[in-house]
Amino acid sequence: MIPWLPPAPFFPPVSRALAEPNGLLAAGGDLAPERLLAAYRLGIFPWYAAGEPILWWSPDPRMVLFPAEIKVSRSLRRTLRQGQYQVRLDTAFDDVVAACAGTPRDGQAGTWITAEMQAAYRRLHELGHAHSVETWIDGKLAGGLYGVALGRAFYGKSMFTHRSDGSKIALAHLCEHLKRREFGIIDCQMETTHLASLGARPIPRSDFTALLRRIATADFDSPGRWPADAVADAFVKRA
């Protein structure tokens, strides 16, 4: 039986997470900013469906992407160098979250990004902890992603695409942005073939949490909105 969380933002040790299903640690609690931030610092995240209690997870192994290890395919690199797009930060957070929740996905009948989840991450964004990376093509939001930044760790939550390579463009620029800010890791949470194709890889949970203890609590990257135009232009071919 998994523990039910008390009112305070307390979590049991991640070593107590169930092996099957992979990483289920606790239930209950709320999505208040204090609890969410405490969870992420420990390598824990919420994931549940509408009508269920809030479920908290810490899978082993953990899928991560080190920003310098992103795999950029030949076709994507050509798209990046052509530069027929804009990448912006934190200019359309609500729209990105809504698109992540509403975009159909293969093998999924619904979304885990419930209205409650959207409101919780909107609050984190208002506090300067959650960020969006947006790909704009022809003046329209074509793809993007959002996540939470703590110290030098970025916890990716979800991505979407409405145009070819829309989310991959955003991820490539996010990696460049994080490298410039000396971030150490992007947490991808669960292992998928799509994430693996982009360079993410599984590492033991013990290694992941040890890394978080070094970088997620560092007094390095203060909360606050990222400047909208602060993305790297490393992919754009210069004249």
Side-chain angles (χ1 to χ4, degrees):
M1 179 177 296
I2 61 172
W4 196 264
L5 294 180
F10 165 83
F11 291 93
V14 296
S15 59
R16 297 183 185 177
L18 299 178
E20 194 63 40
N22 185 14
L24 181 57
L25 177 67
D30 54 41
L31 298 178
E34 296 79 12
R35 191 183 297 270
L36 284 171
L37 295 177
Y40 283 117
R41 288 191 180 96
L42 296 171
I44 302 165
F45 60 88
W47 184 37
Y48 63 101
E52 294 181 344
I54 301 173
L55 301 177
W56 301 89
W57 303 76
S58 184
D60 189 11
R62 188 66 162 244
M63 196 70 166
V64 301
L65 173 60
F66 296 96
E69 295 183 2
I70 185 174
K71 293 180 180 178
V72 179
S73 67
R74 183 177 301 175
S75 62
L76 176 58
R77 188 169 296 279
R78 182 167 54 250
T79 297
L80 293 169
R81 292 195 179 205
Q82 289 172 348
Q84 301 300 310
Y85 60 84
Q86 287 184 312
V87 174
R88 306 174 193 165
L89 304 177
D90 287 346
T91 69
F93 183 85
D94 290 357
D95 293 335
V96 169
V97 175
C100 288
T103 301
R105 303 174 192 275
D106 292 339
Q108 294 185 14
T111 179
W112 60 269
I113 310 174
T114 63
E116 183 182 28
M117 276 277 202
Q118 293 183 51
Y121 287 93
R122 185 180 305 116
R123 180 58 179 149
L124 282 185
H125 177 62
E126 292 169 352
L127 294 172
H129 295 290
H131 304 279
S132 61
V133 185
E134 311 138 17
T135 302
W136 296 82
I137 300 176
D138 299 329
K140 296 182 180 179
L141 186 60
L145 59 90
Y146 75 98
V148 175
L150 284 175
R152 289 179 291 160
F154 186 84
Y155 303 80
K157 294 307 300 175
S158 187
M159 59 176 59
F160 81 97
T161 187
H162 288 165
R163 295 276 294 269
S164 178
D165 289 336
S167 61
K168 293 179 182 179
I169 291 170
L171 179 62
H173 279 271
L174 172 64
C175 286
E176 289 298 313
H177 179 66
L178 296 182
K179 283 193 292 184
R180 293 199 308 183
R181 296 173 76 99
E182 300 181 11
F183 274 58
I185 199 170
I186 300 174
D187 173 30
C188 301
Q189 299 182 350
M190 299 292 194
E191 185 173 0
T192 69
T193 54
H194 175 65
L195 290 170
S197 72
L198 296 172
R201 55 186 170 94
I203 64 173
R205 181 175 58 209
S206 58
D207 291 352
F208 176 69
T209 54
L211 179 59
L212 291 185
R213 285 194 292 272
R214 295 198 303 273
I215 68 174
T217 58
D219 184 14
F220 174 80
D221 200 58
S222 301
R225 290 199 177 188
W226 285 342
D229 59 352
V231 288
D233 61 355
F235 302 106
V236 180
K237 185 182 296 184
R238 300 178 184 273

